Amino acid sequence: MTVIKRGWIWFLAWAAVGAGGVTALLTVLTVGPYVAVLTLVAAVLLGRTPRSHGGLPGLVAGAGVLPLVVAWLNRSGPGNVCTASGDSCTEEWSPWPWLAAGVVLIAVGAAIWARRGANSRTGPRP
């Protein structure tokens, strides 16, 4: 396996930890405590592996996953959204702030990771 492929694996592993952390935070009154325990175990295991530290920007990118899910779930909003038969209606939020937050977090995490990777390949600056 090449160094670049291993770097992506570490990035994605840390992204899973970031996604788990945000999920635990936003669902603290339901499944959050269980997700927090799993996320903490994964963070400790990854943190104990020095090779994985290059993928730490994945935490930021992973934090953008849940806002994208919320944006998708509210894609018909904002406002009162009813089914085609009119049997049930739900109040939905605007998906745009959630979409923006998710895209920005993923882009920033990926940019930091790519920049750090570019710096490590070219070596130290004089």
Side-chain angles (χ1 to χ4, degrees), residues 70-124:
V70 173
W72 176 257
L73 292 175
N74 288 282
R75 66 190 176 275
S76 299
N80 201 17
V81 179
C82 299
T83 60
S85 62
D87 292 341
S88 65
C89 296
T90 60
E91 184 71 27
E92 291 190 3
W93 298 334
S94 174
W96 300 112
W98 293 97
L99 179 66
V103 168
V104 166
L105 285 168
I106 291 172
V108 166
I112 293 170
W113 182 78
R115 180 75 176 147
R116 288 177 79 189
N119 285 343
S120 67
R121 284 191 290 273
T122 59

Side-chain angles (χ1 to χ4, degrees), residues 34-47:
Y34 304 109
V35 175
V37 169
L38 292 174
T39 301
L40 185 61
V41 168
V44 167
L45 291 175
L46 282 172

Side-chain angles (χ1 to χ4, degrees), residues 7-81:
W8 268 107
I9 291 170
W10 293 124
F11 178 83
L12 292 175
W14 280 109
V17 170
V22 170
T23 302
L25 182 67
L26 293 180
T27 61
V28 72
L29 297 177
T30 56
V31 297
Y34 304 109
V35 175
V37 169
L38 292 174
T39 301
L40 185 61
V41 168
V44 167
L45 291 175
L46 282 172
R48 293 178 60 135
T49 308
R51 293 176 300 181
S52 75
H53 295 172
L56 274 171
L59 282 171
V60 177
V65 172
L66 194 61
L68 290 181
V69 171
V70 173
W72 176 257
L73 292 175
N74 288 282
R75 66 190 176 275
S76 299
N80 201 17
V81 179

